[in-house]
Amino acid sequence: MKKIAVLMTMVLLICALPLTAYAEADELYLETAAPYAASMPPATPDWTLAADIISALDIDGTTATCTSLVTADTVVTCIEIERTLQVEGFLWIWSTYKNTVWKSYIYDNSALVSNDKPGLTSGTYRLKTVVTLKTASGKSETITIYSDPVTI
C-alpha cells in the first residue's frame, strides 16, 4: 500500500510540474514599461581610473591579430595588460587557445599592444583582456573585457 501511495504522489508531481512552470506575459506591464525603458540612459562602465579600454580580435585566414588599447586618467603610472586568446569549446565554455597569453607592463597612462597568433584551426575565438591600472599613491583598479567573438 505504501508503494502505491508513493507512486501516486510521483505521478501527481510529474503531471503538475508543467502546469507550475507555465506563465503568461502581462501585456499591461509590457505596454506601460516600454516608455520607461526607452528613456533610460545607456549603461556605462563604473571605472574610476580608466577612460577607455578596447579589446579587438581580427582574424585573417588562420592568423589572429590581438590588439588592446587602454587610455587612463593622468594619475595612472603603470598599466598591466594580460591578453588571452580564447576558443569556444563544448557547451560554450571558453578556454585558452594553446597557451596563448601575453603580458605587458607599460609605465604610462595609455597603451597600445598587439600580437599575432598564426595557425588557428576552425572555431570561434575571442580575446580576453585583463587590465590593472596603478597610481603612485597605491590605488589600483582591475578591469576584464572581451572582444566580440570571431568564427573561422
Side-chain angles (χ1 to χ4, degrees), residues 83-103:
R83 290 162 302 123
T84 306
L85 182 61
Q86 296 182 322
V87 63
E88 185 178 36
F90 182 67
L91 294 176
W92 308 279
I93 296 173
W94 293 92
S95 60
T96 302
Y97 179 73
K98 296 186 178 179
N99 297 321
T100 309
V101 178
W102 299 280
K103 291 185 180 183

